[in-house]
Amino acid sequence: MDKPQHPFADGMPNLSEGHFEVPTRTGLQVPTPFTHAPRFLILYGSLRERSFSRFLAYEAARLLQAMGGEVRIYDARGLPLPDDASPDHPKVCELRALSIWSEGHVWVSPERHGNMTGVIKSQIDWLPLSEGSVRPTQGRTLAVMQVSGGSQSFNAVNALRILGRWMRMITIPNQSSVPMAYKEFDEAGRMKPGPLYDRVVDVCEELFKFTLLTRERADYLVDRYSERKEREPERLEAVAADIGFARR
């Protein structure tokens, strides 16, 4: 094995020392703990009258509330397609405000054509990575779930995980996939007891714990070297000049 000398003697000439920070335990300390209940936003991916993804979203909401959380469930009816309306559309404003309010998300989608539905994707596409200095998703926790009409599959939750990473969210390890969902919910839309329901409880419990662990530390956890450099006035001037908006 090639064993480099320690410490390295050739330095780090490409590193901006003024923006480089060594992570510390001190940065993870919480001087003033939050006192409000953890806040969760739930999105689901079907507008059908008998929607199993909505039923599963409601089960997650019940569990998170039972654990002491505050929950909001977004109704996507009336949400325009991405780029088919301006961002000041009332349904878009509602969605973005809920995401900013939240500290954790639950995304639930049916599997359609081997992937998530357009309904859930449209909701996520309306959430920008940043809006001025506000980041509606960054640093928030995320749990992903799916329902399927057929046998066990993980296509939708895997795709949702990719989106969660792209949106800079802290996606928990656990997840739920409910196969043959028509057998797992009763006529009232309540999930039947069994291993699949137990897994949903596990997911909500894990999401709640991760949210308690990270919500007060999110700003520190997502503070990045590259973004600290980008906030420098001279860097902003350079970007402005590059796109033709240099100050005169």
Side-chain angles (χ1 to χ4, degrees):
M1 183 177 70
D2 183 12
K3 186 176 181 181
Q5 291 183 347
H6 184 75
F8 287 99
D10 52 357
M12 293 180 289
N14 296 328
L15 190 71
S16 172
E17 294 186 5
H19 301 98
F20 179 69
E21 295 181 2
V22 177
T24 65
R25 290 181 180 270
T26 303
L28 292 169
Q29 293 176 357
V30 179
T32 307
F34 291 171
T35 57
H36 62 267
R39 299 167 176 169
F40 298 99
L41 170 61
I42 301 181
L43 309 179
Y44 60 91
S46 170
L47 302 180
R48 292 177 177 175
E49 181 177 350
R50 186 166 174 79
S51 165
F52 296 113
S53 66
R54 185 175 74 251
F55 293 160
L56 185 56
Y58 285 2
E59 293 294 346
R62 293 183 183 100
L63 288 164
L64 292 169
Q65 284 184 338
M67 295 172 192
E70 189 176 355
V71 179
R72 300 285 185 270
I73 303 174
Y74 181 72
D75 182 357
R77 295 178 191 278
L79 180 70
L81 289 172
D83 302 325
D84 196 34
S86 63
D88 60 359
H89 187 283
K91 291 296 293 186
V92 176
C93 292
E94 178 191 358
L95 175 60
R96 292 185 178 185
L98 285 171
S99 187
I100 292 168
W101 165 85
S102 70
E103 296 163 337
H105 284 206
V106 180
W107 295 349
V108 188
S109 179
E111 181 174 312
R112 183 171 295 167
H113 300 318
N115 212 309
M116 74 184 83
T117 62
V119 174
I120 190 76
K121 184 63 162 58
S122 292
Q123 294 172 73
I124 299 166
D125 283 348
W126 271 118
L127 294 173
L129 284 175
S130 63
E131 196 168 24
S133 61
V134 177
R135 298 184 184 274
T137 55
Q138 178 167 273
R140 288 158 178 78
T141 53
L142 171 65
V144 294
M145 303 184 187
Q146 75 168 73
V147 293
S148 303
S151 59
Q152 186 84 52
S153 171
F154 301 96
N155 290 327
V157 287
N158 288 338
L160 290 170
R161 283 188 175 278
I162 292 172
L163 275 177
R165 183 172 69 244
W166 188 261
M167 302 302 286
R168 300 177 177 178
M169 303 180 78
I170 303 167
T171 308
I172 66 170
N174 217 335
Q175 62 187 22
S176 169
S177 175
V178 181
M180 292 183 283
Y182 58 90
K183 293 183 177 181
E184 298 300 326
F185 294 87
D186 62 23
E187 287 302 312
R190 295 304 308 272
M191 195 170 184
K192 299 175 183 178
L196 293 173
Y197 177 76
D198 293 347
R199 184 61 173 263
V200 175
V201 180
D202 289 347
V203 171
C204 291
E205 184 179 69
E206 188 171 292
L207 175 67
F208 203 99
K209 291 176 180 177
F210 269 77
T211 305
L212 288 174
L213 181 67
T214 61
R215 64 175 184 162
E216 295 150 317
R217 303 170 174 86
D219 289 343
Y220 181 71
L221 290 172
V222 299
D223 182 44
R224 297 178 177 87
Y225 166 77
S226 61
E227 293 182 357
R228 290 194 294 272
K229 288 181 66 178
E230 289 171 359
R231 287 194 292 266
E232 287 295 311
E234 61 270 16
R235 183 66 173 265
L236 296 176
E237 290 280 359
V239 172
D242 188 52
I243 61 177
F245 287 98
R247 295 177 182 174
R248 298 185 183 278

